[in-house]
Amino acid sequence: MPSTPQIRAQHVSRRTVLKAGATLLLSVTAPLRANAAQILAVRVWPAEDYTRVTLENDTDLKATHFIVKDPERMVVDIEGLELNPTLKSLVAKIQSNDPYIKQVRVGQNRPNVVRLVFDLKEEVTPQVFTLPPAGNYKHRLIFDLYPVRQADPIAAMIEKGDWSDPAPATAPAPTPKEQLAELKPDLKAEPREELKNELKTAEAQTKAADKPGKMVRMITIALDPGHGGEDPGASGKNGSREKDIVLAIAKRLKAKLEDLPNMRVMLTRDGDYFVPLGTRVEKARKVQADLFVSIHADAFVQPTARGSSVFVLSEKGASSSAARWLADKENLADTIGGVNVKNHDKQLASVLFDLSTTAQINDSMKLGRSVLGEIGGVNRLHKGSVEQAGFAVLKAPDIPSILIETAFISNPEEEAKLLDDGYQNKLADAIVTGIRRYFAKNPPLAKNRLT
């Protein structure tokens, strides 16, 4: 009998030791888990549309924010974080020309909580959200600062326009025939029978409009440089980035188009910042664009892939497996660039697709053929016909829309071309000629919309 209590005592003792050990282990590991979050990189993307601040980290972070008035400030508290040199470097990344952030202050507010205070230049509408790992990025904590008073898109386009001054009020307005003549390509340089027939058709269409008192409206073209900001797009062997190259080409193209009479251009982005795919379409519709041209630089796993391509939307599916693969890749832009899902209109893509008409796709095919034919004189074509796939950025229901893959940035030879000023100019000239060919056959005066 004496042995029984002894056995029970040992059993209780062992249990007590195990409990004590578990408690000690928790007390040691709990602070380590709380302090485990590390800021890996900080990035700031200032733009007139909005300024984005990105904190890239190795785990999901919880943040709360609030606005303080007089003067305007945004305060952000981030939990589970200790101040480190990378986070401190955010202070130096705020530029003096940032439209919305004057400066930022960073400090350890209390244990495991870092506080950021953004001193603002004006009242903003902030969006604070997190993004899961995507592409080459780990977890991201995003601060998007939008102006409360957003500029009128047409007024902003006019302010940024570089087109020629309109004729004096005393000068007679150009007739539809005169405007058509300005849109005609140089037939001596391009002696194509097909183009001559197109011009005859266009002239016949303008006869009815060639009457005294008719107004000549501006033609509005939306140019869409792909990717931007957090989304670099494809990259070349020598380190070039798609987002930089296509923005440079778009700016050249904008200048050349605005040299033509009655042409104005809106860029969906004019700097290095991210614009969601649906927002690009929305911007074009807000300025009542007559055309939408998205500019990209292709990439493939094999560096031997080469050539330029033009794509339009497809109602029924991709015209080839390669077109489907490319559309799927381009449609990932929102995932890489980072969209606030809570505020993003989830129905936008489906609504646009439902509204996309056969007529819009037919007009897009006409534009695509005109542009592809001209690009073929500058660079080898990847495929000799316009391809179709479900590109989200081409889903404007009422705007002829094309996506141009200017060349393969993954091909070292074509990457060098894309970086060459001469090639960019020739490419821009070819696109301008293709657009003029399109309008020669489909004159904007045939529409009953004056702007």
Side-chain angles (χ1 to χ4, degrees):
M1 294 296 295
S3 60
T4 305
Q6 186 179 0
I7 294 173
R8 290 183 64 190
Q10 288 178 349
H11 180 70
V12 171
S13 176
R14 189 179 299 115
R15 182 184 299 169
T16 303
V17 170
L18 288 173
K19 283 184 177 180
T23 304
L24 177 62
L25 182 62
L26 286 171
S27 67
V28 172
T29 58
L32 289 177
R33 283 200 301 270
N35 294 335
Q38 290 291 319
I39 298 296
L40 306 175
V42 295
R43 296 180 289 273
V44 182
W45 309 100
E48 289 184 22
D49 285 21
Y50 71 105
T51 289
R52 167 169 287 191
V53 177
T54 302
L55 305 184
E56 186 177 357
N57 41 278
D58 60 357
T59 188
D60 197 14
L61 292 175
K62 181 180 179 182
T64 57
H65 71 281
F66 56 93
I67 295 292
V68 180
K69 298 289 186 180
D70 300 322
E72 292 287 331
R73 286 157 288 165
M74 184 177 79
V75 181
V76 181
D77 287 338
I78 308 173
E79 298 180 17
L81 197 61
E82 295 289 336
L83 200 56
N84 70 356
T86 303
L87 189 52
K88 289 179 180 178
S89 70
L90 176 62
V91 175
K93 291 183 180 290
I94 303 300
Q95 303 173 22
S96 60
N97 63 348
D98 190 302
Y100 308 110
I101 302 176
K102 186 184 300 181
Q103 64 178 8
V104 63
R105 290 169 280 150
V106 182
Q108 194 75 45
N109 181 255
R110 55 188 184 274
N112 293 329
V113 177
V114 167
R115 171 165 287 187
L116 310 181
V117 179
F118 294 91
D119 295 322
L120 305 173
K121 294 181 178 179
E122 65 176 71
E123 191 178 0
V124 301
T125 301
Q127 293 184 16
V128 180
F129 57 99
T130 58
L131 295 170
N136 295 324
Y137 294 126
K138 304 293 186 183
H139 293 270
R140 285 174 286 173
L141 177 60
I142 303 291
F143 313 110
D144 285 348
L145 307 183
Y146 290 88
V148 171
R149 296 173 292 276
Q150 297 193 12
D152 176 80
I154 294 181
M157 177 179 62
I158 292 173
E159 183 181 347
K160 293 179 181 180
D162 194 28
W163 54 85
S164 304
D165 292 334
T170 55
T175 66
K177 278 187 178 180
E178 289 171 338
Q179 186 189 20
L180 177 65
E182 292 289 351
L183 290 172
K184 291 180 183 178
D186 185 354
L187 288 178
K188 293 181 180 178
E190 300 286 344
R192 296 177 178 153
E193 194 62 34
E194 176 194 359
L195 182 54
K196 292 178 181 178
N197 292 334
E198 290 177 357
L199 290 172
K200 288 179 181 178
T201 302
E203 286 167 352
Q205 290 176 332
T206 58
K207 284 182 180 179
D210 193 11
K211 297 177 181 179
K214 287 285 183 180
M215 291 179 63
V216 177
R217 68 174 180 87
M218 296 290 288
I219 298 171
T220 303
I221 298 176
L223 296 182
D224 174 48
H227 309 283
E230 291 282 290
D231 176 20
S235 58
K237 184 179 180 180
N238 295 315
S240 60
R241 301 180 300 185
E242 179 181 5
K243 67 175 183 178
D244 301 324
I245 289 174
V246 297
L247 179 60
I249 293 173
K251 287 182 175 180
R252 290 178 191 272
L253 181 54
K254 178 179 187 290
K256 292 176 184 294
L257 285 169
E258 289 182 341
D259 278 342
L260 299 175
N262 303 312
M263 285 271 193
R264 62 187 180 191
V265 175
M266 184 274 295
L267 292 175
T268 58
R269 70 175 179 95
D270 56 7
D272 188 11
Y273 58 97
F274 175 70
V275 181
L277 298 174
T279 303
R280 295 168 189 261
V281 177
E282 184 182 359
K283 283 187 168 192
R285 299 191 74 198
K286 281 184 176 179
V287 298
Q288 301 178 40
D290 295 284
L291 299 180
F292 181 92
V293 180
S294 192
I295 303 171
H296 292 256
D298 211 345
F300 195 63
V301 291
Q302 298 294 335
T304 52
R306 61 187 302 157
S308 303
S309 306
V310 175
F311 295 85
V312 303
L313 186 66
S314 172
E315 281 185 306
K316 300 178 181 178
S319 56
S320 68
S321 58
R324 184 184 305 108
W325 176 85
L326 181 63
D328 290 343
K329 184 167 70 73
E330 297 293 1
N331 290 345
L332 284 174
D334 280 356
T335 303
I336 305 297
V339 171
N340 185 2
V341 177
K342 290 182 180 178
N343 288 348
H344 189 56
D345 187 357
K346 296 179 181 179
Q347 296 180 340
L348 178 62
S350 61
V351 169
L352 291 178
F353 183 77
D354 291 341
L355 289 175
S356 296
T357 63
T358 302
Q360 184 262 18
I361 293 177
N362 287 342
D363 284 342
S364 299
M365 285 294 291
K366 294 174 185 176
L367 173 62
R369 291 189 191 105
S370 294
V371 172
L372 186 70
E374 298 301 327
I375 291 178
V378 176
N379 190 34
R380 172 181 173 178
L381 296 179
H382 185 66
K383 191 171 182 180
S385 59
V386 176
E387 295 202 71
Q388 293 183 264
F391 291 90
V393 81
L394 300 181
K395 292 184 177 180
D398 47 2
I399 306 172
S401 304
I402 63 172
L403 185 146
I404 301 172
E405 292 287 358
T406 53
F408 277 85
I409 195 174
S410 53
N411 182 310
E413 184 180 330
E414 293 205 334
E415 179 190 13
K417 283 184 177 181
L418 289 168
L419 292 169
D420 180 69
D421 288 345
Y423 177 79
Q424 288 190 9
N425 271 322
K426 288 179 182 178
L427 190 64
D429 286 335
I431 297 171
V432 169
T433 303
I435 290 174
R436 292 170 70 184
R437 283 188 60 195
Y438 170 79
F439 279 125
K441 189 175 181 180
N442 307 274
L445 293 173
K447 297 181 180 180
N448 287 326
R449 187 180 68 185
L450 298 178
T451 307

